Structure formats: structure tokens, C-alpha cells
Amino acid sequence: MDAFTRLTGSALVLPQKNIDTDQIIPARFLTATSFDGLADGAFADWRFNADGSEKPDCVLNEARGKTSPILVAGRNFGCGSSREHAPRALLAYGFRVVISSEIADIFRNNSQNVGLLPIVLPEDQHARLLDMDGRDLTIDLENTVVFDADGNKYPFEIDGFARYCLLNGMDRLDFLLAETANIQAYEAQHER
């Protein structure tokens, strides 16, 4: 997992509310035994017609839809089933950050575990970012602030452990493995 400290990039706005994990990656893409190739399934029903051709009116098929690292989505993003594939599909597609006024708890936890930064902002701040489609935003995880191109600041909160892991490019298993010596020392001190 790549460390996340600071990112500047254009925002792609999907203002729809209640984008669930089945819209993010339809269930038919969950049969793979690895996470390779999940970018193909990201928003597949939004991006492709039944014959496999691209839908020309889908912003995700535009060049900027394929290169924007920051997704600003409508309220209640990531609801639905708890599939870990959803944040992994967004990462594979190129997103590193999702911003909304509400992000489902399981999706948020899964995102933090795989390196996708979920940011929840108050409704009024989120509404301002929904009007910034295509504009650059800067995400500063060390200081937990989003900056827009006009210099406005949007502070956000994140769980301290999740922040530590994202800043250091490690998931929970990586963290445990890095603490092996400390765990063994603790176990040795507490043997019966």
C-alpha cells in the first residue's frame, strides 16, 4: 500500500445520492480470486452499454474521469453490501480520495484498510465541493485539511489509527507485523 501524505488533483463530481457498493462494482465482478483487474468493473453499469461499448454521456468515460484522483460524491456514498472490492475497484480505477457528506461505516473502514482515503465533510462544505467539478483540490492528510483552488480550508476528522496507517503506507496486518518484536516482548513478560 502506498503512503498517503498530500495529494493535489482535479475533482470528479458524481452528485448522485446513495451510490451503493453494487453501483461501484456490480456483484458479477466479485467472482475473481484476486483483486487484479477490478478497474474494469468500477461503475461498469454506469460506464458501459449491454454490448460492452462505452456510454458516451458518462463522465467516467471522459479523459478527466479516467485521471481524476479525487471523487466528490453525493450523500450516503458506499452504502449497501460490505464488499471490500468496492474501495479496491475505486483505487484500481485511479481514485485515492472519496469526499462526501456521509460515507457508510463499513465502506469507510474498508477504504482505510486498502489505502483509499474517505473524507466526510459537513453538508455546507460538501455542497461547495459539489460545485467544483474539474477544479483542483489538495488533500493534506498530515494536517487533515482539504484546500480548494480558492484557498478555502475544509478540516476533516479521521480515526487516529487509520490516519497513522495511511500516512505510513501500511494496512492493519503490516502494522501488526511491524510490531512483532514488541508483541513478543509483551508475551514474554506475561507468560504464566
Side-chain angles (χ1 to χ4, degrees):
M1 186 164 97
D2 295 331
F4 188 114
T5 54
R6 187 178 177 97
L7 170 74
T8 297
S10 64
L12 182 76
V13 173
L14 298 177
Q16 295 87 342
K17 297 177 182 175
N18 304 315
I19 297 175
D20 63 31
T21 52
D22 200 53
Q23 293 174 72
I24 296 168
I25 184 161
R28 66 182 179 280
F29 293 97
L30 306 182
T31 57
T33 56
S34 77
F35 294 114
D36 296 336
L38 287 181
D40 295 339
F43 290 107
D45 292 339
W46 291 26
R47 295 168 43 218
F48 300 106
N49 294 306
D51 66 1
S53 62
E54 286 189 353
K55 294 180 179 179
D57 59 342
C58 178
V59 68
L60 291 159
N61 290 328
E62 297 174 10
R64 67 187 189 90
K66 296 177 181 177
T67 58
S68 295
I70 302 167
L71 174 60
V72 179
R75 181 179 176 81
N76 196 26
F77 187 81
C79 56
S81 74
S82 60
R83 61 189 73 166
E84 182 182 340
H85 297 69
R88 287 189 181 274
L90 294 177
L91 275 174
Y93 198 73
F95 293 113
R96 291 293 319 269
V97 179
V98 174
I99 301 173
S100 180
S101 60
E102 181 179 0
I103 297 176
D105 288 343
I106 294 173
F107 178 86
R108 184 172 40 214
N109 288 333
N110 285 341
S111 295
Q112 293 166 345
N113 288 338
V114 301
L116 180 70
L117 174 60
I119 296 175
V120 175
L121 293 176
E123 292 278 354
D124 60 326
Q125 295 178 6
H126 175 243
R128 278 190 262 161
L129 295 186
L130 285 173
D131 289 334
M132 295 188 180
D133 189 32
R135 298 189 64 193
D136 277 355
L137 299 176
T138 295
I139 314 301
D140 181 344
L141 180 58
E142 287 188 301
N143 296 298
T144 59
V145 177
V146 177
F147 298 92
D148 67 22
D150 299 324
N152 296 307
K153 297 179 182 179
Y154 307 84
F156 64 90
E157 295 181 3
I158 183 171
D159 171 78
F161 179 66
R163 179 176 168 273
Y164 176 85
C165 287
L166 286 166
L167 286 170
N168 290 286
M170 60 176 48
D171 61 21
R172 292 175 182 183
L173 179 58
D174 294 332
F175 176 81
L176 285 175
L177 292 174
E179 294 296 321
T180 299
N182 291 331
I183 293 169
Q184 290 172 339
Y186 176 86
E187 290 294 327
Q189 289 177 350
H190 294 84
E191 283 186 29
R192 294 182 186 193

